[in-house]
């Protein structure tokens, strides 16, 4: 795992991001995790828009993409208007054929470090309310539930309910 390399995604990575997202969606469906993601929901334009207003990060192992995540600087659909104190993690995903166990947690830590590097004091994310396993994953990573968002718009067009979670970042020094 020492050779995990994190970098900002570029236009050249768009097809790989779509493929990674679709593979993660298929993995969930194969394990009867429904209501979360569906293959084909997001295209290259989605990731291009995120890159224009936020950040998309990739993790590579041996030159192969092991995972990715989006980092937004605001998320009014889920959190409403907020002061600029947080970074918002979205679409944390790993390629289970490339990534070693624990890679998701390393990606989450990298996202937290990026948020801290720009001077923000907490990381926020939302998690499908009905996905108990994923909610527990984030709680075990130090995130605490702080609310619930009912009827958040989705790429599929069907609004869903989400648990809102946040983690305070330690101040350096």
């Amino acid at each position: 795992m020492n050779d995990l390399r994190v970098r900002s995604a570029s236009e050249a990575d768009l097809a790989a991001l779509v493929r990674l997202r679709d593979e993660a969606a298929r993995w969930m469906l194969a394990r009867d995790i429904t209501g979360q993601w569906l293959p084909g929901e997001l295209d290259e334009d989605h990731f291009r828009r995120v890159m224009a207003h936020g950040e998309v990060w990739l993790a590579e192992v041996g030159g192969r993409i092991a995972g990715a995540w989006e980092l937004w600087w605001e998320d009014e659909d889920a959190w409403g208007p907020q002061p600029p104190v947080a970074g918002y993690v979205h679409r944390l995903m790993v390629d289970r054929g490339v990534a070693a166990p624990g890679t998701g947690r390393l990606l989450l830590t990298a996202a937290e470090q990026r948020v801290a590097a720009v001077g923000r004091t907490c990381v926020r994310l939302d998690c499908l309310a009905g996905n108990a396993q994923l909610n527990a994953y984030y709680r075990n990573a130090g995130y605490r539930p702080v609310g619930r968002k009912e009827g958040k718009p989705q790429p599929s067009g069907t609004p869903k309910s989400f648990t809102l979670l946040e983690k305070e970042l330690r101040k350096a020094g």
Side-chain angles (χ1 to χ4, degrees), residues 98-121:
V98 175
T103 298
R105 188 67 65 92
L106 292 174
L107 301 185
L108 199 51
T109 298
E112 294 163 2
Q113 291 169 345
R114 173 67 182 141
V115 171
V118 300
R120 300 216 176 176
T121 58

Side-chain angles (χ1 to χ4, degrees), residues 91-106:
R91 276 168 270 292
L92 181 71
M93 49 195 167
V94 297
D95 181 334
R96 284 163 179 80
V98 175
T103 298
R105 188 67 65 92
L106 292 174

Side-chain angles (χ1 to χ4, degrees), residues 6 11 41 49 67 75 85 97 101 115 131-132 137 160 162 165 172:
V6 174
E11 183 87 11
E41 270 183 321
R49 281 191 304 274
D75 184 2
V85 298
V115 171
N131 189 333
Y137 175 84
K160 297 177 184 173
F162 289 82
L165 300 112

Side-chain angles (χ1 to χ4, degrees), residues 8 18 29 32 40 47 50 57 59 69-70 75 86 90 99 117 119 124 133 145:
S8 183
V18 171
L29 292 173
D32 292 324
F47 292 102
V50 173
W57 291 87
W69 73 92
E70 297 175 9
D75 184 2
H90 287 275
R124 294 180 176 146
Q133 184 178 0

Side-chain angles (χ1 to χ4, degrees), residues 55 69-76 78-91 111 115 120 122-126 165-166:
E55 300 174 2
W69 73 92
E70 297 175 9
L71 185 56
W72 301 3
W73 300 112
E74 61 183 28
D75 184 2
E76 288 195 16
W79 294 83
Q82 295 287 321
V85 298
Y88 300 84
V89 173
H90 287 275
R91 276 168 270 292
V115 171
R120 300 216 176 176
C122 71
V123 177
R124 294 180 176 146
L125 53 87
D126 59 66
L165 300 112
E166 74 178 16

Side-chain angles (χ1 to χ4, degrees), residues 7-28:
R7 66 174 175 83
S8 183
S10 71
E11 183 87 11
D13 298 311
L14 292 172
L17 286 162
V18 171
R19 186 173 53 254
L20 180 64
R21 172 42 164 75
D22 285 348
E23 287 172 3
R26 283 190 283 279
W27 181 89
M28 285 185 223

